[in-house]
Structure formats: C-alpha cells, structure tokens
Amino acid sequence: MLPRLSSRTILAIIAAMVAIGSGFIYKRKSEISAATAGVGKFLQLFSDCYKGKHPSWCEEDLSIVKRNLMIVWNELPSPFTATADQIIDRYSHQQNSKDNTRGHHHPLLAGKVAVVTGATGGIGEETARVLLKHGCHVVLAVRNITKGNEVLETMLKNIGDDSDAGSNLTGKGFVMHLDVSDLKLVDKFETDFRDTGLPLHYLILNAGIMAPPTYKTSKQGYEMQFATNYLGHFHLTRKLEDILLGSGIREFPARVIFVSSEVHTLWKVSLLPTESTERYSAVLAEEIPPNEKSYHPLMNYAFSKALMILCAKELQRRWGPESNAIAVALHPGIIETSLVESNPALEATFFRLLAFTLKSIAQGASTTVYAVVADEVVTNVRKNGASYFANNRWTASMEREEFTEELGKEAWELSSRLVDS
C-alpha cells in the first residue's frame, strides 16, 4: 500500500520535476530548442541520462538541478507569507512603542526620501505605494512620465480612501524621468535629483527586464538585460553615493537595496575548472559586457542578477561596517508581473509550471519593504557585510563560495571602465 502524502510533499515532488526539467532544458539548449521542447523529448533525454548514455553532460547537469530545486523549494506556498503593508505595519508598531518623544503615533518613515526605479508597475509600484502611505517621500524614477503621473495619482487617491491612513500620514510623491538602460539618462537623473535638494535615505534598484528572446542592445551598445538590470543601477548608485552617505547616520543608515533574484544561482561560475582568483577575473573580463555570440535569454538574466549581488557586496566592503549607508540584495519571490512580457513563450511556460509557487505583488514587495524598515537588516550588515534576504529574512544564498572579494572587485572595476568610457 502506498503511503499517504501530504499536500506539501506532493508540491515538493512537482517542484522537483519542474526543477529537473528546467535544468535539462536550460542547459541542453543545443538538444532542445525553446520553441519545440516537449514532454516526450524531455522524458527521452532524462531516460538517456539515467541510463548513462550522456555521462559528459548528465553529471554536470546535477548542479543545475540542485540549484533549481533550491529556487522552487524556497518558494513553496506558506500561510505566513506577509504582504508589504503587513511588514511595514509590524515595524511601525515596534517603532512607535520605542519612540514616544512626540507624544503621539507617527509614521515610521516620516521625512525620509526614497527613490524607486521601475515604479509604474509590479512590486516597484507596490513598494512606492506602501512607503508613501507611511509618510516617506518617494521619487518614482520611471521611463514613461505620463504613466508615472497616472500611477502616482492613483496611489494617492487609494491612500486617501484608506480608512487606516490620513493625509497627515502620507508622504509626497514625485515623478522623474529615468531609463536605467541609458547611461546618459542616468546622468540626467542625477542632475535633476540634485536640483531638488532632497536627501536620499533609500535607493531601491528595482527596474528590470527578463529574458528577451533575442539579443538587444542599449543606447550605449550593451546587452539590454545587463544594461537595465545591472549596469544602469551600478552607475546610478555611484552617482548618488555622496548623497546617500550624507543623508544617513550610523544609527539610521541610508540603504541601497538591489532587487536581485534567486535565479542568480544559475550563473555557472561554480562550474569553472579552477577556483583561482585569476580564473574568475578572466571569465568576468570575457563576460563584461556580455556579447551576442554567447547570448542566452535566461542565463544572461541570471548573470545580471548575480552582478547585482556582487555589486552590493563590493559596495558594502568599500563603505565598511560602520558607515552611514548599507547595501543589501534580495529575492522578491516568483511573481507574475510584466517582467517577462518581452518573451511570451517563456512567460506562458514559466508561470504555468510554477503557478503553485507564485506570490501576489503585495507579497512580492514585502521583502523590499522589510529591507527598508527592519532593524535586523542593519544589524546583519554590520556583522556580516552586505546581506541577502528572501521571504522577509536573511538567507545564506549570497554566501556562494565563488562570490569572493576578488570577484567583486573585478566586477566593480570592469563596470567602472564601461560607465566612465
């Protein structure tokens, strides 16, 4: 008689099947085209691998399967998955209980200033809304000014209609033009932001694209995911660094938040034949910037997200543990947003296969908000350096052994050459 399986066990088995399948499909793109991969072909490949017919690459795929299993396992549904509103309410109550100097309750983020890139949709919009609701002044850094103004107007109306919030609790919203894929527009945004005279307490690097099916380039000629997800944000952070350091204090440091992804684990640096610093440097020199010949929609996405983590680690190393600003990275979860709208085939497959792991946008924004308000985030960074968070808690995923200090320095130097050229 077969044992009775719990729902969670059944979901874990399904997750394992999805992870194994994705490992083969992503790695074996020469054997299975993205357009024609079918269940029968996959089962045949899996059977051949199991029988030892392709030992040269079956063994290598085990590491990818393991990584994909970790991604999906971490996203299994939980009844304790908080929304962004719930996270900030929790920490607002904690702050109010500690600070009664004004004699009345006041918003946790009153007087603070945040810049949120990609704030017209998805978790960027939700992050901006929740911060505004709790008294933070928020700059929506967006590609489309008209859409940005519409989104801000809707946010403020909805906040005003919320019985739990009043106009006295609402921060001010600003819409400013920024396309992070264009380095010259990043320069323009810096100038415009400085002209406002505002401080900057939270720089939330959220804008991104995922897996365009064909190789596309930015205005400066860089692969679009590399330019949008990483290089533009790297440039923006360097441009605003002095404002961040001048706005924070040691007790309440400014925070730079890199919205990365657990998909970064698919970047195959751990599969290199040597662990030497020189080898890591050589590979980064070959990959920064990415070229058209080696383009793979998902792997280039993974690379851009890995670079965000390396940038956070190197930025925090340069600042030191006692600085007036901290850098963190996070995985928001698997969320059905417009992130992969440029690749309809991947969008349909990805979200259908992982439907049982999906978070709502409100849940997906919760870890970003957690990184903004939680005291333990600062404590963790002071103790361990730049840290990585998922599901509103610290995770060791960032501590991949190949993410060495030398690798972070090399990524920083190569990126600096690109933006300074």
Side-chain angles (χ1 to χ4, degrees):
M1 182 176 178
L2 292 175
R4 184 179 181 86
L5 300 178
S6 68
S7 298
R8 185 176 179 88
T9 301
I10 293 170
L11 287 174
I13 293 171
I14 296 171
M17 293 172 65
V18 170
I20 292 169
S22 62
F24 276 100
I25 290 171
Y26 296 148
K27 189 72 172 68
R28 301 274 65 81
K29 59 180 179 177
S30 61
E31 286 84 1
I32 314 174
S33 72
T36 62
V39 174
K41 181 65 174 176
F42 159 67
L43 290 175
Q44 183 61 54
L45 276 173
F46 182 72
S47 176
D48 287 348
C49 188
Y50 180 78
K51 295 174 182 177
K53 291 185 178 181
H54 301 293
S56 61
W57 54 262
C58 289
E59 182 177 352
E60 185 177 331
D61 274 352
L62 292 178
S63 61
I64 293 181
V65 170
K66 181 180 178 182
R67 289 176 182 180
N68 289 353
L69 278 170
M70 180 178 68
I71 292 170
V72 179
W73 178 262
N74 286 340
E75 294 307 325
L76 285 174
S78 167
F80 306 107
T81 302
T83 66
D85 273 315
Q86 290 168 340
I87 288 293
I88 205 163
D89 284 342
R90 178 193 307 167
Y91 285 92
S92 292
H93 293 319
Q94 290 180 8
Q95 182 67 19
N96 287 332
S97 67
K98 292 189 295 183
D99 184 359
N100 293 310
T101 56
R102 297 187 185 181
H104 64 280
H105 289 284
H106 60 280
L108 177 70
L109 299 169
K112 299 296 194 300
V113 178
V115 169
V116 183
T117 67
T120 55
I123 62 173
E125 179 181 349
E126 177 68 0
T127 299
R129 182 194 68 80
V130 173
L131 296 184
L132 272 171
K133 177 181 174 181
H134 288 264
C136 189
H137 307 312
V138 180
V139 175
L140 283 67
V142 301
R143 290 183 299 175
N144 186 320
I145 290 290
T146 300
K147 185 176 180 181
N149 285 323
E150 292 172 353
V151 167
L152 178 58
E153 182 180 354
T154 301
M155 281 182 191
L156 294 175
K157 180 181 183 303
N158 291 341
I159 291 170
D161 292 341
D162 189 337
S163 60
D164 293 330
S167 59
N168 62 312
L169 294 180
T170 305
K172 295 180 179 178
F174 310 86
V175 177
M176 296 177 63
H177 184 242
L178 174 62
D179 180 348
V180 289
S181 72
D182 187 337
L183 298 177
K184 291 191 179 299
L185 291 180
V186 173
D187 291 337
K188 177 67 164 54
F189 179 86
E190 179 214 0
T191 300
D192 293 343
F193 184 80
R194 287 186 185 277
D195 287 346
T196 68
L198 291 169
L200 180 55
H201 303 95
Y202 310 110
L203 178 57
I204 302 172
L205 306 173
N206 168 81
I209 59 173
M210 182 178 182
T214 58
Y215 182 84
K216 297 180 180 179
T217 58
S218 67
K219 288 289 181 67
Q220 285 74 40
Y222 303 124
E223 189 271 315
M224 190 58 79
Q225 292 184 94
F226 172 78
T228 303
N229 300 346
Y230 168 65
L231 191 65
H233 285 140
F234 169 81
H235 189 41
L236 179 64
T237 303
R238 291 206 321 168
K239 286 287 186 179
L240 300 178
E241 181 178 9
D242 63 308
I243 303 178
L244 287 159
L245 291 170
S247 301
I249 59 175
R250 191 196 177 283
E251 292 77 9
F252 301 101
R255 307 187 191 195
V256 180
I257 299 167
F258 293 82
V259 181
S260 182
S261 169
E262 199 70 7
V263 177
H264 81 267
T265 60
L266 293 178
W267 183 45
K268 301 186 296 295
V269 63
S270 62
L271 302 180
L272 294 173
T274 175
E275 297 283 321
S276 71
T277 300
E278 293 75 20
R279 180 55 178 157
Y280 286 145
S281 299
V283 168
L284 284 180
E286 294 169 1
E287 294 192 32
I288 296 179
N291 59 62
E292 183 173 5
K293 183 179 179 181
S294 62
Y295 182 71
H296 183 285
L298 190 64
M299 294 307 174
N300 279 63
Y301 176 76
F303 181 50
S304 71
K305 292 301 183 177
L307 286 173
M308 293 186 84
I309 293 174
L310 285 172
C311 183
K313 288 176 72 73
E314 175 60 12
L315 185 62
Q316 187 60 49
R317 187 195 68 80
R318 288 168 176 255
W319 283 345
E322 304 301 319
S323 66
N324 289 346
I326 63 171
V328 301
L330 62 88
H331 169 56
I334 301 174
I335 308 147
E336 189 168 5
T337 67
S338 60
L339 183 65
V340 292
E341 63 183 0
S342 61
N343 192 332
L346 177 63
E347 181 177 26
T349 303
F350 190 75
F351 289 134
R352 280 181 173 81
L353 285 173
L354 301 180
F356 63 92
T357 72
L358 290 179
K359 291 183 178 182
S360 68
I361 288 174
Q363 291 169 333
S366 66
T367 302
T368 303
V369 170
Y370 171 84
V372 168
V373 299
D375 290 340
E376 58 263 34
V377 170
V378 178
T379 302
N380 198 296
V381 172
R382 298 290 190 212
K383 180 180 179 181
N384 302 312
S387 300
Y388 183 83
F389 298 88
N391 295 320
N392 311 311
R393 62 179 184 269
W394 174 82
T395 173
S397 176
M398 195 178 195
E399 305 308 314
R400 292 170 61 180
E401 61 180 1
E402 65 271 23
F403 279 8
T404 61
E405 182 178 312
E406 290 74 16
L407 192 69
K409 290 179 181 178
E410 183 71 9
W412 186 281
E413 292 304 319
L414 289 168
S415 302
S416 296
R417 293 175 199 171
L418 296 182
V419 299
D420 293 339
S421 61

